[in-house]
Amino acid sequence: DIARRVDAILHELGFSERDMDTPIKQLSGGQKSRAQLGRLLLEGPDLMLLDEPTNHLDLPMLDWLENTIAAMEDTALVVVSHDRYFLDSVVDEVFDMVDGKIEQYDGNYSAYTELRAHRRMSQQRAYDQQQAYISKEEEYIRRFGAGQRATQARGRKKRLDRLKAGGGDQGLVQTASLVGAVRRDGKKMILNLEVKKPSGFDVLKVNHLSKGYPNKQLFQDVTFTLTRGKRIGIIGPNGSGKSTMLNIFAGDNQQDTGDFKWGHGVAMEFFRQEHQTLNLENNILEEFQAARITATQQEIRDLAGLLLFSGDTTEKKVGVLSGGERARVAMGKMLLNPANTIFMDEPTNHLDMPTCEVLEMALDTYDGSLLIISHDRYFLDQVVDQLLVIRPGHLPGVPWKLYNGSYTDYLEAVEKEKKQMAGQKEADRKEKAASEQRSAEESRKKEQREKESRAAKAPRPKVNLKYAKLSASELEGRVAKLEEQLASLEGSFANPKVAANAQAMKELRTKYDAGKKELAELMVAWEAKAE
C-alpha cells in the first residue's frame, strides 16, 4: 500500500517514471519543492507548516493539492502564501503581519479583506472621536487651569494623562484606553498603462497553430482571434507550450504548422517570465534610459520613484535585484514605451500582494489588448474576460478550448460540461440497454416467425379415411374416451402384479401404443375438420 500511495502522489505532482530513480540533488528547484511537498503529505502529520507551497505548481496540481489538504481534516495547517485563491480555498483564519504588528481575522482571504476594511473604518471613526475628545479636554485644561475651575481642570488633566498612558476612568472617559491611529499600508507603486495610438480591431489572428519537439507534442491546431480591448488568459499544465506560443508570436520561435497575422497599427510589449530582455550589468536608471533614450534624467528618476526605487537603490545593478524588483523594472520599461498590446508571461511571480493589486488595477483600466499566461487564479479572475485552455497533445480529447469569462466562470463551465457528459453517458447507457432489449425482442419475434413458417411449410400428416366422414363433435368425443382409456392403462403400469407378469406387461404395452397411435390419428382428423 505504501508503494502504491507513493507512486500515486508522485504522479499527481507531475513526476514521470523516469524521474522516480533520479537523485534529489539532480532535480530542479521546482521538482525539489514538489518532492518535499509529496513527502510531507505522505507522512500524514498532525501539523503542517507550508511556506509558499503553490510555487512551481500548475493549475491541475493546485486543484489536487487543495482537495488533498481539504481531505486532511485532522491535520492543523499554518501556511505562508501569496496565492490568494489558495488561501481562499484552504484557510479559515488569517494573521496579517505588517510593520512588526500582527492582526488576526476569522475566515479566508476574501473575508479578511472585507473585515480589514471594516475594522480600519471603525478604528478610524473611534480614533477621530477620541482625538476630538482629547482636543476638547486639552482646550478646557488650558482655559481653566488657573481660574475658578482649576480643580476641575486638574481632575480632567489627571484622567487625560491616564488615558494617554493606556488607562482611564470608564465612567468619565468614553474610551478606557488610547485608540491607536489606523495602520496604513506600506507605500504602493504607481502603475498607469496608457495607449497612445490604438490598433485596428483585429489585433492578432491565429489559424491552426501547432508546435512540438521529437517525442513531445506541445499545443496543436490552436485557432483564435485577439481583438482590440480583449483580455485573453492562457492556462494549461506545465510543458504544454504556453510560453513557446507567446515566443512564436514575438518572433523568437517558429511554429511547425499553421500561421498567425498581426493587425494594423499593433504596437506590442512583452513582459517575460524570466525578464530575459533586462541587461543585468545596467543599474536601474541605466536600464530605464536604455528603454527610451530621449527620456530626461528627471523623468527617469520620477519613474523610479513611482516604482518604489529611490536613493541609492537606483544605483543597484539589475543582476543583484530580487525577482520582485526585476519585475518592477520590467514594468517601468513598459511605461516608457506605451503599447496598445501587451503580452505577459506569469507577471505575478515574485510579486507581493500589494504589488499584485496595483498591477491588477492598472490592467483593469488599460484600454489596449492583453494576452496573459498565469497560474495566479485570483489574478485571472480580476483581469481576463476570456480563457484559452491548452491541453497536452498526448492526452485524448480536444487539444484546446476558448472559454468566455474569468477563471471562476471557466470552472463553472467545466462543471457544467462534466454534468452534461455524465448525463449524456447515462442517456447513452439507457439507449444502449433499450437498443439491446429491442434487438432481443426482434430476434425473438424473428425466431417465432421462422418457426411458424417452418411449421406452415412442413407436410401435414394425412387423415385416416375411416375418420374422414366423422364430424368434429364425434371426433372430439372419441378423443375424450380414448384419453380416459389411456389414463387407465397408465395406471395399470403401476400395478405390482402386472409389473411382475412379463406377458401381461407386453400385452399392456402393445395395447397402450396402439391407443396412442389411434389418438394421434384422431387428433389429425379433428384438426383438419376444425380448419
Side-chain angles (χ1 to χ4, degrees):
D1 185 57
I2 291 175
R4 181 191 60 77
R5 289 170 56 212
V6 168
D7 187 67
I9 280 193
L10 289 179
H11 276 99
E12 292 284 359
L13 287 168
F15 289 101
S16 65
E17 292 292 339
R18 185 180 56 203
D19 297 326
M20 300 301 186
D21 297 321
T22 304
I24 294 293
K25 63 182 180 181
Q26 294 181 16
L27 298 178
S28 68
Q31 287 176 317
K32 287 179 181 178
S33 176
R34 284 185 277 134
Q36 184 184 22
L37 187 60
R39 173 176 174 170
L40 187 65
L41 295 172
L42 284 163
E43 287 174 343
D46 298 314
L47 169 65
M48 287 197 298
L49 306 178
L50 303 180
D51 190 2
E52 300 292 354
T54 60
N55 284 358
H56 313 293
L57 300 185
D58 57 21
L59 293 181
M61 292 184 194
L62 288 172
D63 290 337
W64 172 83
L65 177 61
E66 289 167 0
N67 292 332
T68 301
I69 290 176
M72 301 172 71
E73 296 180 352
D74 296 329
T75 301
L77 171 69
V78 179
V79 55
V80 174
S81 179
H82 288 111
D83 188 330
R84 296 161 290 176
Y85 203 98
F86 177 75
L87 292 174
D88 262 350
S89 299
V90 302
V91 308
D92 50 30
E93 193 173 11
V94 174
F95 290 86
D96 186 13
M97 305 172 64
V98 177
D99 296 333
K101 295 183 179 180
I102 300 177
E103 294 181 353
Q104 182 269 338
Y105 297 86
D106 291 328
N108 60 10
Y109 178 80
S110 294
Y112 148 74
T113 58
E114 294 180 9
L115 289 172
R116 181 183 61 172
H118 179 73
R119 182 180 294 182
R120 290 188 178 184
M121 183 174 64
S122 299
Q123 185 182 354
Q124 184 65 49
R125 188 182 300 115
Y127 176 79
D128 292 341
Q129 290 175 350
Q130 191 180 69
Q131 290 301 306
Y133 167 79
I134 291 173
S135 297
K136 182 179 177 182
E137 291 297 288
E138 289 176 341
E139 175 64 19
Y140 184 93
I141 294 167
R142 187 166 53 253
R143 289 179 59 190
F144 302 108
Q148 293 181 348
R149 302 181 186 177
T151 302
Q152 292 92 328
R154 285 195 297 273
R156 292 195 180 195
K157 186 175 186 306
K158 287 181 181 179
R159 288 195 292 271
L160 195 59
D161 289 342
R162 284 200 302 270
L163 173 63
K164 292 180 178 180
D169 188 335
Q170 287 276 13
L172 296 176
V173 182
Q174 293 178 355
T175 306
S177 60
L178 194 65
V179 177
V182 174
R183 191 186 75 186
R184 302 297 179 185
D185 291 327
K187 189 176 180 181
K188 291 184 178 181
M189 73 173 191
I190 298 175
L191 190 64
N192 185 18
L193 298 170
E194 296 181 344
V195 174
K196 296 292 187 184
K197 186 177 180 181
S199 66
F201 181 75
D202 288 332
V203 175
L204 177 65
K205 284 190 173 183
V206 182
N207 299 299
H208 305 291
L209 202 73
S210 299
K211 179 66 177 178
Y213 297 103
N215 302 321
K216 182 166 184 172
Q217 177 66 42
L218 300 180
F219 54 86
Q220 54 182 332
D221 203 34
V222 175
T223 299
F224 69 92
T225 299
L226 176 65
T227 56
R228 185 176 59 237
K230 185 64 68 176
R231 300 131 182 276
I232 299 180
I234 304 177
I235 64 172
N238 292 336
S240 57
K242 303 183 297 295
S243 296
T244 302
M245 183 184 296
L246 291 194
N247 287 329
I248 290 173
F249 298 149
D252 299 333
N253 209 325
Q254 185 68 34
Q255 70 270 23
D256 294 337
T257 59
D259 57 61
F260 62 94
K261 183 179 180 180
W262 288 102
H264 174 71
V266 175
M268 188 268 287
E269 278 289 320
F270 193 172
F271 183 94
R272 299 175 186 270
Q273 182 176 358
E274 301 299 331
H275 312 301
Q276 296 94 323
T277 57
L278 298 181
N279 187 335
L280 303 184
E281 297 302 317
N282 282 344
N283 64 35
I284 294 173
L285 296 179
E286 290 170 341
E287 190 66 11
F288 285 160
Q289 189 72 67
R292 196 170 83 191
I293 301 298
T294 58
T296 66
Q297 276 293 307
Q298 188 59 48
E299 288 174 332
I300 295 297
R301 289 190 177 277
D302 288 345
L303 173 62
L306 293 177
L307 298 171
L308 306 185
F309 295 119
S310 59
D312 295 339
T313 306
T314 59
E315 303 299 327
K316 282 185 177 181
K317 288 188 179 297
V318 173
V320 302
L321 299 179
S322 68
E325 289 171 328
R326 291 189 189 186
R328 299 208 305 272
V329 172
M331 291 177 194
K333 294 180 70 173
M334 288 198 314
L335 292 176
L336 288 166
N337 294 292
N340 53 41
T341 302
I342 296 177
F343 287 0
M344 306 191 94
D345 190 356
E346 299 293 355
T348 60
N349 280 5
H350 312 296
L351 299 184
D352 55 26
M353 288 183 183
T355 306
C356 284
E357 291 171 356
V358 170
L359 178 59
E360 288 163 2
M361 186 171 295
L363 294 176
D364 189 47
T365 57
Y366 176 61
D367 293 329
S369 309
L370 297 173
L371 197 57
I372 300 175
I373 296 171
S374 181
H375 288 126
D376 188 332
R377 297 159 293 176
Y378 200 95
F379 174 79
L380 291 172
D381 259 351
Q382 307 303 312
V383 174
V384 307
D385 49 32
Q386 277 190 317
L387 212 56
L388 177 63
V389 182
I390 305 295
R391 302 177 74 251
H394 66 277
L395 292 180
V398 294
W400 63 273
K401 191 168 183 179
L402 191 63
Y403 291 86
N404 289 323
S406 64
Y407 181 78
T408 299
D409 296 326
Y410 153 72
L411 291 182
E412 292 175 356
V414 169
E415 191 62 29
K416 186 177 180 180
E417 287 176 359
K418 288 180 179 177
K419 289 181 179 178
Q420 289 176 342
M421 191 177 298
Q424 187 60 48
K425 284 185 178 179
E426 179 63 17
D428 291 345
R429 185 193 66 78
K430 290 182 178 179
E431 176 59 29
K432 183 180 179 181
S435 177
E436 290 175 349
Q437 186 175 356
R438 287 194 299 268
S439 179
E441 183 66 19
E442 286 295 325
S443 297
R444 187 189 66 77
K445 290 181 178 179
K446 182 179 179 182
E447 185 178 340
Q448 180 66 23
R449 287 194 298 269
E450 290 175 350
K451 183 178 179 181
E452 291 173 353
S453 178
R454 287 195 301 269
K457 292 178 181 178
R460 289 182 175 274
K462 293 182 179 180
V463 178
N464 194 321
L465 292 177
K466 67 179 181 180
Y467 304 127
K469 294 182 179 182
L470 297 178
S471 66
S473 59
E474 290 174 328
L475 290 169
E476 197 171 321
R478 289 198 178 192
V479 166
K481 185 176 181 180
L482 188 54
E483 284 178 342
E484 290 179 4
Q485 293 174 358
L486 288 173
S488 177
L489 290 174
E490 287 172 357
S492 299
F493 285 129
N495 190 329
K497 293 182 179 180
V498 176
N501 189 331
Q503 183 61 32
M505 194 69 176
K506 183 179 179 181
E507 292 175 357
L508 189 62
R509 170 61 67 182
T510 301
K511 189 175 181 180
Y512 182 79
D513 290 342
K516 291 287 285 185
K517 182 180 178 182
E518 184 181 356
L519 180 62
E521 291 175 348
L522 283 169
M523 288 299 295
V524 169
W526 178 79
E527 289 174 358
K529 188 67 68 171
E531 290 178 359

